[in-house]
Amino acid sequence: MMPDLWVQALSLPALSVTTPYTLRMNLARLLRTSEPAEAAIISGLRSDIPASAFLAGYQVAMRAVDSSLSPEQWACLCVSEKGLRSLSEMSTCIDNGVISGRKSHAMLADSGMDWLYIIARDQSDLVCRRVKAGEQGVSVLPSDPAQPVVPELAHHALEFNEAHVDSHFHCADAHNEINKPFRYHEDVMTILAFSGWCLRMSDSASDQSKLVTVMQALAGGYRMSSKGYCLEQLNAFEALAEELMTVAAALPAAAADYWQRDRRLLVMGQKARSIIRQRLELSAH
């Protein structure tokens, strides 16, 4: 049976990335009153398209990067650099509180984000510092042609020219403390939000008992303090992914078109999750 809060969410008007202020305020209220996984699910249940669900789920996941981030504020994590094959080759650097370099992907960097969380080199260490979006020394570069998935959430390259970092946030060992764990948090929050959207779009949402059950299983084991997947959470994620694909195959035509385009977001992490599974299974024996 679907929880009462989910049923209530389905009865409310849809939220959309095209009306970001309304989406922001509703998500802020959820972040203040709900556990993270529930916030992601309910945001998905109220989303009009997958991009709206993804943005909400991503913002929930960003609270694993910085738990003090205000519920009303949006942020993105900036790691990628063009041609980067290993984090040891990262060229973006921080020196005396200013950051210089270039990042190749930052969601809604030209509008919508309040903070940019940047993983960069500080001498021989990788650290994470944050910079205000629009800070002097931060340039949003012209975007490439729209990305094939969630094009409503434009990703831009960023150039930093001695932009001052915020003194209130600093994380050392950023690869192990933020970069690796964030993959897990983003995975879980995104698939829960997508699943909520899929329920909203389904012609028979009240009949999707198996989807509801596997959503609850993944959400029930989620902890924002986690540093990554355990085998139980990985199994729960894959069970939800399988059921989500089954339910989505029967979506009405308009929703199915969105799903076929944007479901690749879930596929992108399959290789990494396969490697994680091998490691977890080896350590279990």
Side-chain angles (χ1 to χ4, degrees):
M1 180 179 294
M2 197 179 301
D4 289 342
L5 283 176
W6 298 20
V7 175
Q8 292 171 20
L10 288 173
S11 70
L12 295 172
L15 300 173
S16 178
V17 67
T18 62
T19 53
Y21 178 80
T22 303
L23 178 59
R24 183 188 292 256
M25 291 301 102
N26 277 272
L27 179 57
R29 183 165 61 250
L30 282 172
L31 289 169
R32 291 185 184 281
T33 60
S34 305
E35 292 298 316
E38 184 177 76
I41 290 170
I42 293 178
S43 295
L45 288 165
R46 294 203 59 192
S47 291
D48 61 337
I49 57 176
S52 304
F54 176 78
L55 177 58
Y58 185 95
Q59 291 309 313
V60 179
M62 281 300 301
R63 272 64 196 174
V65 172
D66 182 3
S67 60
S68 68
L69 185 61
S70 168
E72 285 78 19
Q73 293 183 326
W74 285 356
C76 65
L77 181 64
C78 304
V79 183
S80 300
E81 296 180 5
K82 190 173 182 179
L84 186 68
R85 294 171 296 178
S86 168
L87 292 183
S88 63
E89 300 174 355
M90 187 171 286
S91 61
T92 307
C93 62
I94 296 173
D95 186 24
N96 293 322
V98 296
I99 185 168
S100 298
R102 183 178 290 194
K103 293 296 184 183
S104 57
H105 294 85
M107 181 172 61
L108 297 179
D110 63 335
S111 63
M113 290 299 122
D114 299 289
W115 293 100
L116 310 168
Y117 285 74
I118 315 298
I119 292 183
R121 286 190 300 106
D122 186 348
Q123 298 181 2
S124 60
D125 299 323
L126 278 178
V127 302
C128 186
R129 303 297 300 269
R130 71 178 188 176
V131 177
K132 284 185 178 179
E135 175 77 16
Q136 184 175 354
V138 180
S139 299
V140 179
L141 303 180
S143 60
D144 292 327
Q147 67 267 15
V149 295
V150 289
E152 300 85 0
L153 303 174
H155 286 60
H156 296 272
L158 292 173
E159 187 169 65
F160 301 93
N161 184 15
E162 296 189 347
H164 287 272
V165 302
D166 178 63
S167 61
H168 295 95
F169 179 84
H170 180 279
C171 179
D173 192 17
H175 178 52
N176 290 311
E177 293 298 316
I178 289 181
N179 186 43
K180 288 171 63 177
F182 186 72
R183 299 172 190 173
Y184 162 71
H185 297 291
E186 183 184 15
D187 272 359
V188 174
M189 295 299 101
T190 296
I191 198 171
L192 288 175
F194 274 5
S195 299
W197 171 81
C198 190
L199 278 173
R200 186 179 188 92
M201 295 297 109
S202 175
D203 284 334
S204 55
S206 60
D207 296 333
Q208 302 297 349
S209 59
K210 185 175 180 181
L211 180 59
V212 170
T213 298
V214 290
M215 287 170 68
Q216 290 175 315
L218 180 61
Y222 176 77
R223 299 293 181 270
M224 188 157 273
S225 59
S226 174
K227 295 299 182 183
Y229 281 106
C230 63
L231 195 55
E232 182 179 8
Q233 276 281 278
L234 187 55
N235 289 338
F237 179 96
E238 292 181 352
L240 176 53
E242 181 178 356
E243 182 60 20
L244 181 57
M245 294 294 184
T246 299
V247 173
L251 287 174
D257 289 343
Y258 277 113
W259 174 251
Q260 287 301 318
R261 185 193 70 184
D262 294 339
R263 68 186 182 89
R264 283 176 284 180
L265 280 171
L266 300 178
V267 177
M268 287 177 184
Q270 281 184 348
K271 183 177 179 181
R273 288 190 292 271
S274 178
I275 293 171
I276 291 170
R277 173 172 290 282
Q278 292 174 14
R279 292 173 180 170
L280 289 172
E281 289 178 344
L282 281 174
S283 64
H285 292 299

